[in-house]
Amino acid sequence: MKTAVISGGAGGLGQALSKALLTRGWRVVVLDLNVSDLAPTPNLVPIACNLTQPELLSSAVSDIIATSDSIDLVIYNAGITQIRGFDRSDEASHRKLFEINYFAAVEMARALLPEVRKSGGAHLVMSSVAGFTPLYHRTAYAASKHALEGFFKSLRSEEKSFGVTVHIAAPSFVATNTGNAETRTDGTARPGSARDGMDEMSPSEAAEIILRGLDRSQPTIPVGRVARLAWWLNRISPRLYQRLMERKISGS
């Protein structure tokens, strides 16, 4: 039985991906800060872990390796957002986004790299439209997602000789935490809680698109109509994309 490891898998898009993989007959290991709502089964293994704490991540990975025949898919889904103008943000919150959105994923990849190589498996990264385009009032979030994409796109070339693939999913607006933003005083919040979202889709819809892209071995998987349009428009005319984005998101 194939095993998938999902960070941030206890809710929202991560939970939808977990359910979809379980339906497909996978064994799924879920890493999240709080997994109390997940009932363990032979095929679902919840592990509470703060991925930004190296010793906790190392311990969790050791447990996963010891109890898995193989690790065939790693999904990097854990993350937070920040919706706030740069002039109202601070250094600490900027670093916080990078610790969770970028460095935690990088260190998780480092820890699981040998196992994924053994299985000839795949890395699946949850990026965002903000990973390849600018996005209003999301300077730190966009920067962290751009860094995430740069890392994994480069890793793709390094891992190719091991039969390992790297896929980047770029959702636009997935309504995962509508009404449950848990916004902090520094403007950081749970992903999928934006009030300025457009053409939102459900987590289950997004999960199906992402896994379908994985089945087709797509390097980049735009998720949703807005993501597809943003991808093409930003490539053809970045200036036009930015003007339309500002009009739609900022209301300017």
Side-chain angles (χ1 to χ4, degrees), residues 227-241:
R228 292 192 301 272
L229 290 172
W231 171 259
W232 287 109
L233 185 56
N234 188 62
R235 292 187 65 171
I236 295 168
S237 177
R239 181 180 297 181
L240 176 59
Y241 166 81

Side-chain angles (χ1 to χ4, degrees), residues 98-171:
F98 268 79
E99 286 293 338
I100 297 171
N101 294 0
Y102 174 75
F103 285 110
V106 168
E107 293 312 309
M108 186 173 164
R110 192 191 309 278
L112 291 170
L113 200 70
E115 299 303 313
V116 179
R117 284 179 173 180
K118 288 178 187 177
S119 68
H123 301 274
L124 175 57
V125 184
M126 294 302 111
S127 183
S128 165
V129 167
F132 59 83
T133 65
L135 200 57
Y136 184 79
H137 271 174
R138 290 166 176 83
T139 49
Y141 178 72
S144 70
K145 291 297 186 179
H146 272 67
L148 190 69
E149 288 206 14
F151 172 82
F152 278 100
K153 285 177 180 176
S154 300
L155 185 67
R156 178 183 290 146
S157 299
E158 296 183 18
E159 296 305 293
K160 185 177 180 180
S161 63
F162 297 94
V164 173
T165 57
V166 176
H167 311 267
I168 298 174

Side-chain angles (χ1 to χ4, degrees), residues 45-58:
V45 182
I47 299 177
C49 181
N50 184 335
L51 299 174
T52 65
Q53 299 296 317
E55 66 280 4
L56 297 181
L57 175 59
S58 177

Side-chain angles (χ1 to χ4, degrees), residues 3-27:
T3 293
V5 180
I6 306 179
S7 69
L13 180 55
Q15 187 176 48
L17 287 164
S18 174
K19 288 179 178 178
L21 287 168
L22 288 168
T23 300
R24 291 173 169 222
W26 284 66
R27 176 175 175 267

Side-chain angles (χ1 to χ4, degrees), residues 40-121:
T41 70
N43 292 341
L44 177 62
V45 182
I47 299 177
C49 181
N50 184 335
L51 299 174
T52 65
Q53 299 296 317
E55 66 280 4
L56 297 181
L57 175 59
S58 177
S59 176
V61 168
S62 295
D63 289 345
I64 293 168
I65 293 172
T67 57
S68 303
D69 293 332
S70 65
I71 298 174
D72 306 272
L73 174 63
V74 183
I75 301 179
Y76 306 87
N77 175 71
I80 61 172
T81 189
Q82 184 184 50
I83 306 174
R84 167 168 293 189
F86 178 66
D87 59 348
R88 295 176 53 233
S89 67
D90 57 21
E91 180 185 357
S93 64
H94 202 110
R95 290 183 180 276
K96 180 179 177 181
L97 262 80
F98 268 79
E99 286 293 338
I100 297 171
N101 294 0
Y102 174 75
F103 285 110
V106 168
E107 293 312 309
M108 186 173 164
R110 192 191 309 278
L112 291 170
L113 200 70
E115 299 303 313
V116 179
R117 284 179 173 180
K118 288 178 187 177
S119 68

Side-chain angles (χ1 to χ4, degrees), residues 29-50:
V29 180
V30 169
L31 297 176
D32 213 321
L33 284 172
N34 185 353
V35 295
S36 59
D37 290 338
L38 299 179
T41 70
N43 292 341
L44 177 62
V45 182
I47 299 177
C49 181
N50 184 335

